[in-house]
Amino acid sequence: MNIEKMRNFGIAAHIDAGKTTTSERILYYTGKSYKMGEVHEGTATMDWMEEEQKRGITITAAATTCSWNDYHINLIDTPGHVDFTIEVERSLRVLDGAICVFCGVGGVEAQSETVWRQADRYDVPRICFVNKMDRVGADFDKVVGEINERLGMKAIPIQLPLGREQGFKGVIDLVNMKAMVYSDDVDKLGVNFSVEEIPEEYKDKAVAQREKMIEGLAEQIDWLTEKFLNGETITNEEIKKAIREGTISLKFVPVMCGSAFKKKGIQPLLDAVCEYLPSPLDRKSIVGTNPDTDEEISRKPLPAEPFSALAFKIASDKHGDLTFIRVYSGKINAGARVINSGKDKKELISRIYKMHANTREQVEMLSAGDIGAVIGLKYTVTGDTLCDADNPIVLEKIEFPDTVISMAIEPKTDAEKEKLGVVLSKLAKEDPTFKVRMDQETGQMIISGMGELHLEVIKNRMLSEYKVDANVGAPKVSYRETIGKKVEVEGKFIQQTGGHGQYGHVWITLEPFKGEEAVEFEDAIVGGKIPKQYIRSVEKGIRETAATGVAGGYPLIDIKVTLTDGSTHPVDSSDLAFYTAASIALRKGVEMAKSILLEPIMSLEIAVPEQYMGDVISEIHSRRASINEMGSRGNLRIIKGDVPLAEMFGYSTVLRSITQGRGTFTMEPLEYRPAPAKVFSSVA
């Protein structure tokens, strides 16, 4: 396979912008599907889970492999709902490019910004596709303006819509200066379209926009600047070369348009993926560390390099866990033995598959740039590195957001207790943002996730897929604790027994601090008063005690602990003694520094018709919401603000009632803030 003609890309956007419909059209036109699936009918290939088909939303990222004009394409369709944002995160981590879909009416919406930030984090080149251009209120120019302003990226349109709303007929290609016209009457599937001269009524705008496009390219691409300033003729091939160069180097995003539902504009989008998004060779060498020496090493995306791959998703399967991997270098054959370098465990690759949603095709090998799935791994979870045993490397892990909501769960019968535990552990392995733990005080099993919908889907999957019936309690908010002032505190753990005793003695400084980690630890010991081995135990004691909570039982965040002094005993000192002494010191310190309860605050965006604005604002104020901005989007009014998560349970039902089903809202985690006294007293 020619790696230059390989494209690994994903489709990401705000919920209901048309990602899955766009994916379905791509599958049909590439010949991967013989029937065009529809989300609203529950027949979308990429939304294969029962919960997805029932709800009409994407829950899990689905991968598929297809081809277009001699190009090999690995495509991942991702969810739009914030509760399943981890699926976007781990997909973007392993992809070389992305199509960001925007609704022609809604424009840049709340989750669009979240997805964009995730793509920025991994330096993923993007093409923007303004979808739903056939809808009433669709405005291509407005969406382009919002991409520039709200996402902070220069957007260069390389197409214009041909017609608008009900009169949308196709697209104008500004590179080749041709119109691509689709006829609803002649071809219901949108396979055939005619390439025509641009109609007279659009010609002036197309010429002006082409000049603007070339000017925008010349501003960003050095070799084009001179030609442009000298007034030289710039060929179509040079324009394409400049678009590709600027897209890959993240200097700008090309913007295209169409209507996925009406099957218009998808083939030019596929052409653009092949022409402008990078191949694995265009991306930088993957960088990791040597697990033995911690030195930085890199691997080129070539089959001849030593094998390295990242596991980015686990899916439970009746034949064993299916581990999705992206191969960054080298190649791997079925039956090969590799190592999980982060855990120093040997793994056997028993079978290899290329995936198509929930169906698969067995293959003998994956090579550099490939995305596929393997069976046979025992120790590997999401974010682990697999590599050649003789050339170990640990790749950068995937960061997972903290859970914000939890609830108690218990089996309806004792007979199902063991089955429930097995199912929950499977689901937790699949989804790193789903956590399961036992509450030591109550003996209850607690499940935690990213939102009400997330936990509801988990609950329904247990019932429908795994046939486990369980009682689930009301949702509870995941609070945090911090401290209000700086204190110095001593921790001692001294026990005398018949034989060896225990002796651990530390002094720590505890202070409020917002760093990269929830708990920052600093070793300020001088003169070797505490040996290095015990300092590691002190840090472990601090971190593990902070994670389980001190005052109210909630994890501690935004603190800094500095180990300043201490003493040892020549015989009785041990790792356990210093671990315990550190834990005692932290507990005393939090009590002295006055623990503060923090509650999760959500960023909120509500879209409602004008006539319901007053009622919606009045109601949301009763939920301790702060309104930061109000504006318009088409014929809807937009309310933006922030609100405590604890106040938002059941809000979707209330909003539907107030607006007669016409209002919508989205939420995503923003930050933790001190909770009011009445909240503290109710949960403490």
Side-chain angles (χ1 to χ4, degrees):
M1 187 190 301
N2 184 355
I3 198 168
E4 287 182 18
K5 290 205 164 188
M6 181 184 288
R7 297 292 181 268
N8 295 318
F9 72 97
I11 298 185
H14 183 90
I15 192 168
D16 204 31
K19 299 176 302 301
T20 301
T21 303
T22 304
S23 299
E24 292 298 318
R25 303 305 181 248
I26 287 173
L27 295 185
Y28 184 79
Y29 297 136
T30 57
K32 190 69 184 182
S33 295
Y34 300 102
K35 182 178 183 297
M36 216 175 269
E38 301 291 357
V39 174
H40 63 281
E41 294 174 0
T43 58
T45 305
M46 302 298 267
D47 283 353
W48 57 270
M49 284 173 61
E50 183 183 328
E51 281 291 304
E52 293 177 314
Q53 293 169 355
K54 192 165 66 178
R55 295 172 184 274
I57 62 170
T58 302
I59 290 169
T60 183
T64 193
T65 303
C66 51
S67 58
W68 178 255
N69 292 347
D70 295 330
Y71 281 82
H72 179 80
I73 289 172
N74 289 312
L75 164 66
I76 297 181
D77 175 34
T78 65
H81 198 287
V82 68
D83 281 18
F84 309 106
T85 190
I86 181 58
E87 295 290 337
V88 185
E89 184 84 21
R90 58 181 168 192
S91 299
L92 289 172
R93 169 68 177 81
V94 298
L95 291 170
D96 299 322
I99 295 173
C100 288
V101 181
F102 299 91
C103 172
V105 181
V108 176
E109 298 172 273
Q111 190 66 5
S112 312
E113 297 183 40
T114 303
V115 168
W116 199 267
R117 289 195 300 271
Q118 289 172 308
D120 282 343
R121 193 176 304 139
Y122 299 115
D123 293 332
V124 177
R126 279 144 268 177
I127 292 173
C128 295
F129 180 65
V130 182
N131 192 25
K132 303 190 179 183
M133 290 307 302
D134 59 310
R135 293 270 290 270
V136 174
D139 188 334
F140 180 73
D141 294 334
K142 178 179 80 74
V143 180
V144 172
E146 288 183 0
I147 294 169
N148 273 303
E149 292 161 24
R150 293 181 58 181
L151 300 179
M153 175 69 90
K154 185 174 181 63
I156 299 181
I158 61 173
Q159 287 181 344
L160 289 177
L162 184 64
R164 59 179 298 173
E165 299 181 350
Q166 295 299 317
F168 179 68
K169 295 184 289 187
V171 297
I172 296 169
D173 177 357
L174 295 176
V175 177
N176 298 304
M177 287 302 277
K178 295 288 183 183
M180 300 175 182
V181 183
Y182 295 77
S183 170
D184 291 324
D185 300 328
V186 177
D187 184 6
K188 298 273 185 211
L189 293 172
V191 174
N192 300 310
F193 58 90
S194 57
V195 179
E196 305 172 5
E197 293 301 317
I198 298 170
E200 281 300 320
E201 65 267 33
Y202 293 99
K203 208 156 224 175
D204 288 347
K205 184 175 183 181
V207 169
Q209 284 291 340
R210 188 175 199 266
E211 282 300 312
K212 196 174 174 183
M213 174 187 74
I214 293 172
E215 185 180 338
L217 294 174
E219 285 175 4
Q220 304 295 326
I221 307 299
D222 292 343
W223 58 263
L224 195 65
T225 308
E226 194 174 336
K227 294 196 79 167
F228 178 75
L229 292 175
N230 292 336
E232 296 177 40
T233 301
I234 296 170
T235 66
N236 292 355
E237 287 308 310
E238 286 173 327
I239 291 172
K240 288 180 182 178
K241 182 184 174 187
I243 293 171
R244 176 175 175 78
E245 189 177 310
T247 302
I248 291 173
S249 59
L250 299 171
K251 290 181 177 177
F252 56 76
V253 286
V255 187
M256 306 177 74
C257 61
S259 169
F261 182 62
K262 292 292 179 66
K263 312 167 186 74
K264 295 174 182 175
I266 303 301
Q267 296 94 330
L269 181 62
L270 272 167
D271 290 337
V273 164
C274 298
E275 286 176 338
Y276 306 134
L277 287 183
S279 76
L281 290 176
D282 295 311
R283 301 282 275 159
K284 298 171 188 170
S285 296
I286 191 72
V287 176
T289 55
N290 185 315
D292 300 323
T293 64
D294 281 343
E295 68 177 294
E296 192 174 280
I297 47 177
S298 64
R299 295 270 191 273
K300 293 176 184 174
L302 298 170
E305 287 272 295
F307 169 71
S308 67
L310 187 79
F312 68 94
K313 181 179 170 71
I314 311 290
S316 291
D317 185 272
K318 59 186 176 184
H319 302 297
D321 284 341
L322 203 58
T323 305
F324 287 73
I325 64 170
R326 159 71 193 259
V327 181
Y328 282 101
S329 63
K331 53 191 176 185
I332 190 71
N333 293 299
R337 291 192 177 275
V338 297
I339 62 162
N340 179 325
S341 52
K343 294 176 177 168
D344 195 24
K345 294 281 189 181
K346 291 180 180 177
E347 295 275 31
L348 172 68
I349 308 280
S350 57
R351 290 195 295 281
I352 301 176
Y353 297 101
K354 285 290 182 76
M355 299 303 295
H356 177 47
N358 64 328
T359 61
R360 65 188 70 168
E361 170 198 348
Q362 190 165 346
V363 294
E364 286 305 308
M365 182 186 76
L366 291 176
S367 185
D370 273 332
I371 291 175
V374 300
I375 276 183
L377 307 185
K378 291 181 180 177
Y379 308 103
T380 301
V381 297
T382 299
D384 284 355
T385 302
L386 299 170
C387 61
D388 176 30
D390 296 328
N391 296 276
I393 186 173
V394 178
L395 304 177
E396 181 191 351
K397 281 188 169 286
I398 303 171
E399 294 296 325
F400 306 123
D402 286 335
T403 58
V404 297
I405 187 172
S406 59
M407 55 176 67
I409 186 168
E410 60 181 27
K412 285 195 172 176
T413 64
D414 285 342
E416 291 204 303
K417 193 170 185 178
E418 188 177 333
K419 190 178 177 184
L420 175 64
V422 171
V423 169
L424 288 175
S425 65
K426 272 188 178 182
L427 291 169
K429 194 173 183 182
E430 281 186 24
D431 181 355
T433 58
F434 173 64
K435 307 285 186 190
V436 183
R437 66 179 176 86
M438 289 297 294
D439 187 310
Q440 298 302 321
E441 289 186 17
T442 64
Q444 287 181 304
M445 190 176 284
I446 306 294
I447 57 174
S448 306
M450 298 305 296
E452 280 185 282
L453 179 61
H454 187 198
L455 292 186
E456 189 182 331
V457 166
I458 292 280
K459 183 178 75 173
N460 290 349
R461 283 188 65 196
M462 285 194 312
L463 190 60
S464 59
E465 284 182 42
Y466 297 103
K467 312 299 181 203
V468 176
D469 207 357
N471 294 316
V472 178
K476 288 186 178 179
V477 173
S478 295
Y479 292 98
R480 297 287 186 269
E481 293 175 32
T482 192
I483 56 171
K485 63 179 183 179
K486 182 175 179 179
V487 295
E488 288 187 28
V489 64
E490 181 184 29
K492 274 186 178 179
F493 180 64
I494 301 172
Q495 273 189 352
Q496 292 300 324
T497 56
H500 277 315
Q502 296 286 353
Y503 184 96
H505 175 220
V506 298
W507 275 94
I508 62 170
T509 301
L510 181 62
E511 59 190 309
F513 182 81
K514 281 204 173 187
E516 289 186 8
E517 294 185 272
V519 178
E520 293 280 343
F521 179 82
E522 184 180 332
D523 168 20
I525 291 292
V526 291
K529 286 190 174 181
I530 301 178
K532 288 289 183 190
Q533 71 196 70
Y534 297 146
I535 291 173
R536 285 195 293 271
S537 299
V538 170
E539 182 177 358
K540 187 179 179 186
I542 294 291
R543 292 194 183 281
E544 292 187 359
T545 304
T548 56
V550 175
Y554 302 108
L556 275 163
I557 64 170
D558 297 341
I559 62 168
K560 182 177 181 181
V561 179
T562 306
L563 178 60
T564 58
D565 202 355
S567 62
T568 60
H569 187 279
V571 177
D572 292 347
S573 285
S574 66
D575 288 326
L576 174 63
F578 274 94
Y579 176 100
T580 310
S583 178
I584 290 168
L586 182 64
R587 291 177 186 280
K588 282 169 63 178
V590 170
E591 193 176 328
M592 290 166 60
K594 304 296 182 192
S595 172
I596 297 170
L597 183 74
L598 301 174
E599 62 179 347
I601 304 296
M602 309 298 281
S603 176
L604 174 69
E605 182 176 299
I606 309 172
V608 294
E610 173 83 44
Q611 64 263 41
Y612 304 112
M613 274 282 285
D615 290 341
V616 169
I617 289 173
S618 174
E619 204 282 334
I620 201 70
H621 272 312
S622 71
R623 295 173 183 267
R624 295 195 284 129
S626 300
I627 294 174
N628 305 325
E629 184 185 333
M630 287 192 280
S632 300
R633 187 181 293 149
N635 58 355
L636 293 174
R637 295 301 302 276
I638 307 299
I639 304 163
K640 293 184 179 181
D642 46 72
V643 64
L645 173 63
E647 303 289 344
M648 292 302 286
F649 294 136
Y651 182 64
S652 54
T653 306
V654 173
L655 184 63
R656 277 198 300 269
S657 174
I658 294 174
T659 63
Q660 297 180 16
R662 296 168 66 189
T664 60
F665 79 102
T666 56
M667 286 194 312
E668 58 185 61
L670 178 64
E671 62 184 356
Y672 278 89
R673 288 184 197 157
K678 64 176 182 179
V679 174
F680 185 87
S681 60
S682 67
V683 301

